[in-house]
């Protein structure tokens, strides 16, 4: 029994020592990679510095300082590849941009240069990681044989990590970059919408566009070019919940120019209390020079809606359909008017959903629907491929079972004065949506979040629609009709039905006094 007891103790001791060796080897390998330095590589006309670092999630970061950074989820291995754009060979870049024959060779040239650089970086990182593991184990245990075991373990771990990175490599990640940096540089660095619509399968084309765009930006230095509009897409700037914040107009003007949008859709709450005094704020709409589609929010009175309708290029949709820049849009104003916290906003579950369903007979196969409240949007599920909403100041997207996608916008006005009610200010948010000009279906969208010093810094997340041509089917409507009402300044009629087919509910009608009074 004593022999068995000592054997177990010896096994535990050996196991503990093996774990300790592996841990020290891992730390040494990590430090070796961390201090492996940067590999210089020329990718086309761009001089780059490449570095590899351990990370919790696999990604590739392209640092185009001072223009910004692009992040791609290219692999699943816990390694971060950082490519820093350090210089541009101006003569070579100009020759590639101006000579079509050289431009045709650019994809193959970039791919070859990139692979050569990554190969040199991997070899250097492996050597440094192995040396780090060997030195760390030798320093701790002071036994060459144990150090060799640590080196072997580190080599196996590094080989598995490299294999995982190769097996999980996602070329298509290049069409969904995350961008942060200057708003003026954003559209050119993020990439052309043309590549989204045509759905390029090869990442070589995306790399070519990235290098070409960077070359153009550096070549022009201070006079950055505007992003050229793609003739194959309809670009829509989606804004919401401005809440009379003047900074929103600066943001909208900047984004409409940089992204060359065709129209703007505002899903409500442009005002705060719906008073006549706030009407001057909407005068900026007429100066934008683009169609401005507006649907009323719960902070907008009928006075606000009329003021918007008077502006040049403004299109107010309230249970109406209109074709704008090739897109057929149905819009419905919010049934409530709740200008401040003295008026409750709550409604019984399903009421707003059924309010939307009562208007379904007026919806004739639009390309997209614009409403203010996401609860209203749910009632239109299956009536269009796309629904835009706002209200919650919390951006999100939902795919309904019907195949309809709902995009809820954050606050383009940073929630107005409400931003001061929280420890951290509400971000300023908007989105640029890309629709195919022929099918009228959403192909991709850029979620834009502004921060830093005003609108000078920007964070962009690109999303690509996985199945833009999916079938849209109506939602089942066999649920019982509710009898609740939307609370607020409306005056329900006791005993009256919630709605009649094709008519608005009398229990959801807006008060003509609160929203339309002058102040």
């Amino acid at each position: 029994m004593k022999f068995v007891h000592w054997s177990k103790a010896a096994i535990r001791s050996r196991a503990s020592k093996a774990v300790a060796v592996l841990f020290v080897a891992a730390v040494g390998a990590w430090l070796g990679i961390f201090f492996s330095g940067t590999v210089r590589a020329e990718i086309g006309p761009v001089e780059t510095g490449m570095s590899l670092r351990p990370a919790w999630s696999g990604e590739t970061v392209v640092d185009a300082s001072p223009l910004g950074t692009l992040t791609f989820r290219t692999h699943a291995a816990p390694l971060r590849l950082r490519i820093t754009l350090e210089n541009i060979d101006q003569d070579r870049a100009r020759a590639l941009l101006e000579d079509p024959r050289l431009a045709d060779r650019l994809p193959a040239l970039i791919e070859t240069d990139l692979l050569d650089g990554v190969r040199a970086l991997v070899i250097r990182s492996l050597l440094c990681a192995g040396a780090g593991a060997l030195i760390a184990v030798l320093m701790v245990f002071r036994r060459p044989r144990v150090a060799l075991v640590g080196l072997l373990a580190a080599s196996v771990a590094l080989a598995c990590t490299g294999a995982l990175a190769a097996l999980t490599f996602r070329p298509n990640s290049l069409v969904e970059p995350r961008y942060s940096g200057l708003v003026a540089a954003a559209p050119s660095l993020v990439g052309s919408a043309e590549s989204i619509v045509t759905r390029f399968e090869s990442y070589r084309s995306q790399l070519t566009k990235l290098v070409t765009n960077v070359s153009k930006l550096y070549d022009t230095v201070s006079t950055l070019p505007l992003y050229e509009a793609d003739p194959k897409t309809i670009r829509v700037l989606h804004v919401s919940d401005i809440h009379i914040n003047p900074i929103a107009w600066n943001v909208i003007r900047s984004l409409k120019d940089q992204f060359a949008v065709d129209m703007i859709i505002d899903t409500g709450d442009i005002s705060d209390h719906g008073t006549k005094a706030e009407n001057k704020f909407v005068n900026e709409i007429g100066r934008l020079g683009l169609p401005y589609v507006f649907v009323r929010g719960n902070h907008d009175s009928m006075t606000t809606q009329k003021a918007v309708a008077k502006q040049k290029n403004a299109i107010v949709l309230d249970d109406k359909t209109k074709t704008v820049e090739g897109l057929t849009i149905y819009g419905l104003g919010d049934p409530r008017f709740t200008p401040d916290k003295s008026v409750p906003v709550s409604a019984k579950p399903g009421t707003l959903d059924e309010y939307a369903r009562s208007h379904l007979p007026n919806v004739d196969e639009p390309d997209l629907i614009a409403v203010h409240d996401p609860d209203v949007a749910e009632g239109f599920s299956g009536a269009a491929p796309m629904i835009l909403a706002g209200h919650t100041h919390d951006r999100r997207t939902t795919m309904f079972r019907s195949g309809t996608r709902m995009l809820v916008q954050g606050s383009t006005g940073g929630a107005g004065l409400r931003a001061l009610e929280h420890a951290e200010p509400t971000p300023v948010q908007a989105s640029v949506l890309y629709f195919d000009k022929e099918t009228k279906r959403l192909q991709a969208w850029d979620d834009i979040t502004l921060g830093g010093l005003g609108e000078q810094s920007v964070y962009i997340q690109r999303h690509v629609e996985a199945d833009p041509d999916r079938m849209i089917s109506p939602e089942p409507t066999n649920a019982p009709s509710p009898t609740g009402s939307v609370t607020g300044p409306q005056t329900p009629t006791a005993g009256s039905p919630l709605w009649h087919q094709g008519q608005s509910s009398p229990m959801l009608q807006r008060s003509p006094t609160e929203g339309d009074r002058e102040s």
Side-chain angles (χ1 to χ4, degrees):
M1 296 296 294
K2 185 176 181 181
F3 174 75
V4 174
H5 172 75
W6 281 106
S7 296
K8 289 182 177 178
I11 291 173
R12 286 195 295 269
S13 177
R14 287 176 179 273
S16 299
K17 186 175 182 180
V19 171
V21 170
L22 292 176
F23 176 76
V24 173
V27 172
W30 186 89
L31 290 174
I33 294 177
F34 188 80
F35 291 108
S36 61
T38 301
V39 171
R40 307 294 174 182
E42 290 189 1
I43 302 178
V46 183
E47 297 176 11
T48 69
M50 295 185 180
S51 61
L52 197 63
R53 297 289 184 269
W56 292 112
S57 60
E59 60 186 16
T60 298
V61 179
V62 178
D63 186 354
S65 179
L67 305 175
T69 61
L70 290 167
T71 303
F72 308 92
R73 296 286 186 180
T74 51
H75 55 278
L79 294 171
R80 178 185 294 114
L81 172 62
R82 178 175 287 273
I83 303 176
T84 304
L85 309 185
E86 298 183 346
N87 193 20
I88 296 287
D89 186 334
Q90 296 290 347
D91 294 335
R92 193 179 184 191
R94 194 172 294 109
L96 288 169
L97 296 174
E98 295 176 355
D99 191 337
R101 292 174 298 178
L102 293 176
D104 291 339
R105 291 163 42 200
L106 189 57
L109 177 64
I110 291 174
E111 185 178 18
T112 301
D113 292 345
L114 181 63
L115 290 176
D116 289 343
V118 171
R119 190 179 297 111
L121 176 63
V122 169
I123 293 174
R124 180 171 180 171
S125 299
L126 287 175
L127 291 175
C128 291
L134 182 66
I135 294 172
V137 176
L138 188 61
M139 290 179 62
V140 173
F141 296 96
R142 299 184 182 279
R143 295 177 61 184
R145 184 176 297 178
V146 176
L148 291 175
V149 172
L151 174 60
L152 178 61
S155 300
V156 172
L158 290 170
C160 293
T161 302
L164 179 62
L167 291 173
T168 58
F169 176 65
R170 296 177 55 246
N172 289 336
S173 65
L174 293 181
V175 301
E176 293 187 307
R178 289 178 296 154
Y179 170 84
S180 61
L182 298 174
V183 67
S188 293
L189 285 184
V190 167
S192 171
E194 180 183 357
S195 60
I196 302 169
V197 176
T198 56
R199 305 303 295 270
F200 287 156
E201 297 297 329
S202 172
Y203 72 99
R204 299 169 64 213
S205 299
Q206 291 298 106
L207 286 175
T208 304
K209 288 180 178 295
L210 173 60
V211 173
T212 302
N213 286 336
V214 170
S215 300
K216 287 181 178 179
L217 288 175
Y218 274 96
D219 185 47
T220 54
V221 190
S222 59
T223 56
L224 298 178
L226 296 181
Y227 189 30
E228 294 181 359
D230 177 8
K232 295 184 179 180
T233 58
I234 302 171
R235 297 161 181 252
V236 177
L237 177 61
H238 179 204
V239 301
S240 189
D241 296 84
I242 292 176
H243 289 290
I244 63 169
N245 188 347
I247 194 176
W249 297 125
N250 297 331
V251 171
I252 291 172
R253 277 193 294 268
S254 178
L255 294 179
K256 82 175 182 67
D257 292 336
Q258 298 299 333
F259 287 83
V261 300
D262 299 297
M263 76 174 94
I264 301 166
I265 297 181
D266 185 339
T267 48
D269 277 2
I270 195 172
S271 65
D272 224 7
H273 296 87
T275 61
K276 186 176 181 180
E278 295 171 281
N279 288 350
K280 291 183 179 179
F281 179 76
V282 306
N283 291 343
E284 290 292 328
I285 293 175
R287 303 186 181 106
L288 294 175
L290 289 176
Y292 193 97
V293 179
F294 175 79
V295 292
R296 187 182 63 245
N298 61 291
H299 281 259
D300 302 321
S301 66
M302 294 303 295
T303 297
T304 306
Q305 178 169 297
K306 293 175 182 177
V308 172
K310 292 178 181 178
Q311 304 305 313
K312 183 181 179 181
N313 298 320
I315 301 167
V316 173
L317 298 181
D318 191 9
D319 197 21
K320 293 181 180 179
T321 302
K322 190 173 182 64
T323 299
V324 184
E325 297 295 324
L327 284 180
T328 302
I329 307 169
Y330 171 83
L332 179 63
D334 198 278
R336 304 158 301 175
F337 179 62
T338 53
D340 52 51
K341 292 184 177 180
S342 65
V343 182
V345 187
S346 61
K348 291 185 178 181
T351 306
L352 291 174
D353 177 274
E354 293 301 329
Y355 170 73
R357 293 185 182 278
S358 70
H359 288 79
L360 278 176
N362 303 335
V363 181
D364 187 16
E365 297 185 358
D367 299 315
L368 67 91
I369 293 174
V371 296
H372 178 65
D373 196 309
D375 289 338
V376 176
E378 291 184 19
F380 287 113
S381 175
M386 186 83 207
I387 303 178
L388 302 182
H391 183 62
T392 63
H393 302 178
D394 182 20
R395 176 196 284 149
R396 71 180 192 275
T397 179
T398 303
M399 179 71 77
F400 295 126
R401 291 180 301 173
S402 63
T404 296
R405 179 180 291 281
M406 176 180 68
L407 287 180
V408 179
Q409 189 56 265
S411 174
T412 311
L417 295 177
R418 292 164 185 78
L420 304 177
E421 298 176 355
H422 309 287
E424 296 184 0
T426 303
V428 175
Q429 296 180 322
S431 298
V432 177
L433 286 64
Y434 304 93
F435 292 85
D436 185 274
K437 214 161 194 175
E438 296 180 0
T439 66
K440 309 301 190 298
R441 290 295 187 93
L442 180 73
Q443 303 295 314
W445 69 98
D446 291 335
D447 284 334
I448 303 164
T449 302
L450 286 92
L453 297 176
E455 70 276 11
Q456 294 305 307
S457 63
V458 63
Y459 174 88
I460 295 178
Q461 172 70 66
R462 166 151 301 169
H463 307 272
V464 176
E465 185 67 88
D467 184 16
D469 298 322
R470 64 188 177 276
M471 180 178 294
I472 310 299
S473 57
E475 291 275 11
T477 56
N478 54 358
S481 300
T483 57
S485 63
V486 175
T487 58
Q490 37 300 72
T491 54
T493 304
S496 62
L498 180 63
W499 86 89
H500 295 288
Q501 188 73 4
Q503 298 178 356
S504 299
S505 165
M507 305 183 82
L508 291 174
Q509 290 176 351
R510 304 163 61 85
S511 168
T513 56
E514 290 289 338
D516 301 332
R517 64 187 179 189
E518 299 181 5
S519 63

Coordinates of all heavy atoms in Angstrom, one line a residue, residues 9 118 135 156 160-161 189 199 265 276 359 361 374-375 402 442 475 480 515:
A9 N 1.7 9.8 -5.6 CA 2.4 11.1 -5.3 C 3.4 11.5 -6.4 O 3.5 12.7 -6.8 CB 3.1 11.0 -3.9
V118 N 3.6 38.1 -45.3 CA 3.0 37.2 -44.3 C 3.9 36.0 -44.0 O 4.2 35.6 -42.8 CB 1.6 36.8 -44.6 CG1 1.1 35.8 -43.6 CG2 0.7 38.0 -44.7
I135 N 14.3 29.7 -24.0 CA 15.1 30.5 -23.0 C 14.3 30.5 -21.7 O 14.9 30.4 -20.6 CB 15.3 31.9 -23.5 CG1 16.3 31.8 -24.7 CG2 15.9 32.8 -22.5 CD1 16.4 33.1 -25.5
V156 N 4.4 22.5 -31.1 CA 3.2 21.8 -31.4 C 2.0 22.8 -31.3 O 1.1 22.9 -32.1 CB 3.0 20.6 -30.5 CG1 1.6 20.1 -30.7 CG2 4.0 19.6 -30.8
C160 N -0.5 24.1 -34.3 CA -2.0 24.0 -34.2 C -2.6 25.4 -34.4 O -3.7 25.5 -35.1 CB -2.4 23.4 -32.9 SG -1.9 21.7 -32.6
T161 N -2.0 26.4 -33.8 CA -2.6 27.7 -34.0 C -2.5 28.2 -35.4 O -3.5 28.7 -36.0 CB -1.8 28.7 -33.1 OG1 -1.9 28.3 -31.7 CG2 -2.4 30.1 -33.2
L189 N -12.0 54.3 -47.8 CA -11.3 53.2 -47.2 C -12.2 52.0 -47.0 O -11.7 50.8 -47.1 CB -10.7 53.6 -45.8 CG -9.4 54.5 -45.8 CD1 -8.9 54.7 -44.4 CD2 -8.3 53.9 -46.7
R199 N -21.1 41.1 -55.4 CA -20.7 40.0 -54.6 C -19.4 39.3 -55.1 O -19.4 38.1 -55.4 CB -21.8 39.0 -54.4 CG -23.1 39.6 -54.0 CD -23.0 40.3 -52.6 NE -22.7 39.4 -51.6 CZ -23.6 38.7 -50.9 NH1 -24.8 39.0 -51.1 NH2 -23.2 37.9 -49.9
I265 N -33.9 59.4 -45.1 CA -35.2 58.9 -44.5 C -35.0 59.2 -43.0 O -34.1 58.7 -42.3 CB -35.5 57.4 -44.7 CG1 -35.7 57.2 -46.2 CG2 -36.7 57.0 -44.0 CD1 -36.0 55.8 -46.6
K276 N -44.7 75.2 -31.8 CA -44.4 76.0 -33.0 C -43.0 76.6 -33.0 O -42.4 76.9 -34.0 CB -45.5 77.1 -33.1 CG -45.4 77.9 -34.4 CD -46.6 78.8 -34.6 CE -46.4 79.6 -35.9 NZ -47.6 80.6 -36.0
H359 N -53.6 49.1 -40.8 CA -53.3 49.9 -42.0 C -52.7 49.0 -43.1 O -52.4 49.5 -44.2 CB -52.3 51.0 -41.6 CG -52.8 52.1 -40.8 ND1 -53.1 52.0 -39.5 CD2 -53.2 53.3 -41.2 CE1 -53.6 53.1 -39.0 NE2 -53.7 54.0 -40.0
P361 N -54.2 47.1 -45.3 CA -54.8 47.2 -46.6 C -54.4 48.4 -47.4 O -54.5 48.4 -48.7 CB -56.3 47.4 -46.2 CG -56.4 46.8 -44.9 CD -55.1 47.1 -44.2
P374 N -40.6 50.6 -33.2 CA -40.4 49.2 -33.6 C -41.6 48.3 -33.3 O -41.8 47.3 -34.0 CB -39.2 48.7 -32.7 CG -38.5 50.0 -32.4 CD -39.5 51.0 -32.2
D375 N -42.4 48.6 -32.3 CA -43.6 47.8 -32.1 C -44.6 48.0 -33.2 O -45.3 47.1 -33.5 CB -44.3 48.3 -30.7 CG -43.5 47.9 -29.5 OD1 -42.6 46.9 -29.7 OD2 -43.6 48.5 -28.5
S402 N -41.0 36.3 -41.3 CA -41.6 36.5 -42.6 C -40.5 36.8 -43.7 O -40.8 36.8 -44.9 CB -42.6 37.7 -42.6 OG -41.8 38.9 -42.2
L442 N -32.2 45.5 -50.4 CA -31.0 45.9 -49.6 C -29.8 44.9 -49.9 O -30.0 43.7 -49.8 CB -31.3 45.9 -48.1 CG -30.2 46.3 -47.2 CD1 -29.9 47.8 -47.3 CD2 -30.5 45.9 -45.7
E475 N -47.0 37.4 -42.4 CA -47.1 36.8 -41.0 C -48.5 36.3 -40.8 O -49.5 36.8 -41.4 CB -46.8 37.8 -39.9 CG -45.3 38.2 -39.9 CD -44.5 37.2 -39.1 OE1 -45.0 36.1 -38.8 OE2 -43.3 37.6 -38.8
P480 N -56.1 36.8 -31.6 CA -57.3 37.5 -31.2 C -57.0 39.0 -31.1 O -55.9 39.4 -30.8 CB -57.7 37.0 -29.9 CG -56.4 36.4 -29.3 CD -55.7 35.9 -30.5
G515 N -50.5 68.8 -29.3 CA -49.4 68.9 -30.3 C -49.5 70.1 -31.1 O -48.5 70.6 -31.7

